[in-house]
C-alpha cells in the first residue's frame, strides 16, 4: 500500500501551538495560514521563538471564521486571519538573516503576549507585498514556473515526517517524544521503513508534484515538550546527534536531521488526511544538503519509481 497523510498541522504563529486540520489548501507560502504571524522583540524587531522562550508553544491560536483567536495565559485577543496590511503600521522584522516587511497588529495583542511571556512583544503579519524566496536546493522557474517563497518559517514552505521515523527515534529514548516535537506540516504513515522519506525526490499527491528538497537540520527546539512547554536541557537533541547525523553536506554534517523540506509545484491545490503519496522519483545515491542554490538533483542519483 502507498504511504498516506495521517495528520496535517499548521502553525499560524511561528513557534506557537499547532492547529490540526483534516484538510488544507495550498498557498504561495506552503500550507494556507502556516506561519504567517510572528512575535518579535519591539526593540530589535528580531523574531522571538520557543528556542529561547519555550512557553511560546502553549500560546494557542484558533481559526474562527475569518479571525484568529489567540489565547495566552488565560487571556485572549482576536485579530483578522488575513489582515489588510494597509490598515496597520508597517514594521520591518528580522527572521535569521532576512529582513521582511510586516504589519504590526496593535497594542492589545502585544499586551496579551508581553504579559504572558514576561518580555516585550509585538505581533506582526507577513506582508504579501514582500517576497522571501526559497532558493537552497529548491526548484525554481525552470522546474515549476515560479520562484517559491515562504512567510516566517525558518527556511522552507512545508515539512514532512513519517510516523515510522518518530517510532524509530523513540526506540533510542528513555522518555518518548511525539511528532509534534518536530513540528511537521505533513505526518505520513505507511512507509516501508523508518526514514524512507529521506530518499524521496518527487512525490505526487492529488495530481500535484511536490519536490522533496533536502533534509531538515535540527537545533534544540525538539527538546521543548509541546504539551507542557518545558524545555529539557539534553533530550532528545543529545540522542539525535548520535543517531541522526546522517547528511554529509558541508553544514548539515554537524547537525541531526529529522524530517524533509518540501516545495509544492503550485500555489493552488488541496491536501486531505488519507491522501495517498505516489512516489515518482527517489534517490539511489548519497543525499547531501550542500547548500546549492538550485534544484540540484542529478539524473545519475535518482530513479523513476
Amino acid at each position: 500500500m502507498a504511504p498516506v497523510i495521517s495528520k496535517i498541522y499548521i502553525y499560524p504563529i511561528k513557534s506557537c501551538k499547532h492547529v490540526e486540520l483534516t484538510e488544507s489548501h495550498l498557498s504561495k507560502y506552503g500550507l494556507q495560514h502556516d506561519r504567517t504571524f510572528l512575535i518579535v522583540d519591539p526593540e530589535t524587531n528580531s523574531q522571538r521563538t520557543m528556542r529561547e522562550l519555550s512557553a511560546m508553544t502553549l500560546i494557542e491560536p484558533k481559526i474562527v471564521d475569518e479571525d484568529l483567536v489567540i489565547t495566552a495565559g488565560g487571556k485572549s485577543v482576536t485579530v483578522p486571519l488575513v489582515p489588510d496590511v494597509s490598515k496597520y503600521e508597517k514594521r520591518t522584522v528580522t527572521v535569521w538573516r532576512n529582513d521582511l516587511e510586516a504589519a504590526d497588529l496593535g497594542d492589545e495583542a502585544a499586551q496579551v503576549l508581553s504579559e504572558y511571556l514576561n518580555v516585550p512583544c509585538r505581533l506582526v503579519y507577513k506582508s504579501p507585498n514582500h517576497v522571501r524566496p526559497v532558493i537552497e536546493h529548491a526548484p525554481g522557474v525552470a522546474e515549476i514556473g515560479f520562484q517559491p517563497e515562504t512567510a516566517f518559517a525558518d527556511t522552507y514552505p512545508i515539512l514532512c515526517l513519517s510516523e515510522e521515523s518518530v517510532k524509530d527515534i523513540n526506540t533510542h529514548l528513555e522518555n518518548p517524544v511525539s511528532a509534534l516535537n518536530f513540528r511537521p506540516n505533513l505526518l505520513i504513515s505507511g512507509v516501508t521503513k523508518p526514514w524512507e522519506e529521506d530518499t524521496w525526490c518527487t512525490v505526487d499527491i492529488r495530481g500535484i508534484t511536490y519536490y522533496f528538497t533536502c533534509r531538515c537540520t535540527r537545533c534544540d527546539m525538539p527538546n521543548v515538550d509541546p504539551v507542557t512547554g518545558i524545555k529539557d536541557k539534553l533530550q532528545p537533541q543529545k540522542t539525535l546527534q548520535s543517531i541522526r547525523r546522517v547528511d554529509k553536506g558541508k553544514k548539515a554534517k554537524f547537525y541531526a536531521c529529522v524530517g524533509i523540506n518540501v516545495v509544492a509545484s503550485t500555489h493552488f491545490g488541496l491536501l486531505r488526511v488519507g491522501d495517498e503519496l505516489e512516489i515518482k522519483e527517489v534517490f539511489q545515491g548519497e543525499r547531501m544538503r550542500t547548500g546549492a542554490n538550485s534544484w540540484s538533483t542529478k539524473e545519475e542519483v535518482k530513479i523513476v519509481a
Side-chain angles (χ1 to χ4, degrees):
M1 293 181 62
V4 299
I5 298 174
S6 59
K7 300 282 187 182
I8 299 174
Y9 300 113
I10 61 171
Y11 310 84
I13 310 172
K14 182 174 183 173
S15 271
C16 296
K17 191 172 181 178
H18 67 282
V19 173
E20 184 173 349
L21 305 172
T22 57
E23 65 178 39
S24 176
H25 290 275
L26 296 176
S27 77
K28 67 178 181 177
Y29 299 138
L31 300 192
Q32 190 176 42
H33 309 309
D34 186 49
R35 283 167 279 211
T36 52
F37 294 84
L38 181 73
I39 299 172
V40 300
D41 179 336
E43 293 187 8
T44 65
N45 288 318
S46 58
Q47 64 177 347
R48 293 202 184 279
T49 75
M50 54 191 280
R51 293 173 182 86
E52 300 81 29
L53 299 167
S54 63
M56 285 181 67
T57 194
L58 302 183
I59 296 173
E60 184 173 12
K62 285 187 177 180
I63 297 173
V64 180
D65 298 325
E66 301 300 315
D67 291 327
L68 188 71
V69 180
I70 305 164
T71 302
K75 296 182 179 180
S76 295
V77 62
T78 300
V79 298
L81 181 60
V82 184
D84 179 349
V85 297
S86 67
K87 296 180 179 180
Y88 296 88
E89 179 183 344
K90 185 185 297 185
R91 185 180 286 267
T92 300
V93 300
T94 303
V95 176
W96 302 116
R97 290 177 292 180
N98 301 135
D99 292 331
L100 309 174
E101 184 180 311
D104 187 309
L105 297 181
D107 292 341
E108 185 182 3
Q111 183 176 349
V112 169
L113 296 170
S114 299
E115 288 179 357
Y116 172 66
L117 292 172
N118 202 32
V119 292
C121 296
R122 303 297 295 188
L123 180 69
V124 302
Y125 179 80
K126 169 75 170 58
S127 171
N129 304 318
H130 185 106
V131 176
R132 185 179 174 220
V134 176
I135 297 174
E136 183 184 342
H137 289 285
V141 174
E143 292 83 16
I144 59 177
F146 62 90
Q147 181 63 54
E149 59 182 295
T150 189
F152 292 131
D154 276 356
T155 315
Y156 290 89
I158 300 171
L159 181 67
C160 179
L161 177 63
S162 74
E163 292 183 4
E164 288 77 7
S165 297
V166 177
K167 290 177 183 177
D168 182 66
I169 290 170
N170 283 330
T171 65
H172 300 274
L173 294 173
E174 182 177 347
N175 297 310
V177 296
S178 77
L180 286 170
N181 285 71
F182 305 102
R183 300 175 72 81
N185 295 112
L186 303 179
L187 188 63
I188 306 301
S189 65
V191 299
T192 58
K193 60 183 179 179
W195 311 110
E196 181 185 325
E197 62 270 25
D198 278 11
T199 69
W200 297 342
C201 182
T202 55
V203 174
D204 281 9
I205 308 173
R206 288 181 169 263
I208 293 172
T209 298
Y210 293 80
Y211 288 75
F212 281 59
T213 62
C214 58
R215 294 182 178 100
C216 180
T217 54
R218 292 294 176 170
C219 62
D220 64 351
M221 187 179 284
N223 289 13
V224 178
D225 186 321
V227 176
T228 66
I230 296 172
K231 185 175 184 178
D232 192 277
K233 293 181 180 180
L234 296 175
Q235 297 293 358
Q237 185 188 34
K238 181 179 179 181
T239 296
L240 292 174
Q241 283 290 100
S242 68
I243 65 171
R244 286 298 299 165
R245 285 178 61 180
V246 294
D247 195 307
K248 296 180 181 178
K250 62 181 180 180
K251 293 183 179 179
K253 64 184 178 182
F254 298 108
Y255 297 93
C257 295
V258 177
I260 189 158
N261 297 303
V262 180
V263 171
S265 61
T266 178
H267 296 158
F268 308 98
L270 183 69
L271 292 167
R272 284 190 175 135
V273 169
D275 282 349
E276 290 190 355
L277 281 68
E278 183 182 358
I279 316 305
K280 303 297 288 187
E281 297 173 326
V282 299
F283 279 80
Q284 60 181 149
E286 174 130 33
R287 184 167 216 165
M288 291 190 290
R289 185 170 176 173
T290 62
N293 290 331
S294 64
W295 178 243
S296 56
T297 304
K298 307 292 184 183
E299 290 296 329
E300 62 266 25
V301 297
K302 66 179 181 180
I303 61 173
V304 177

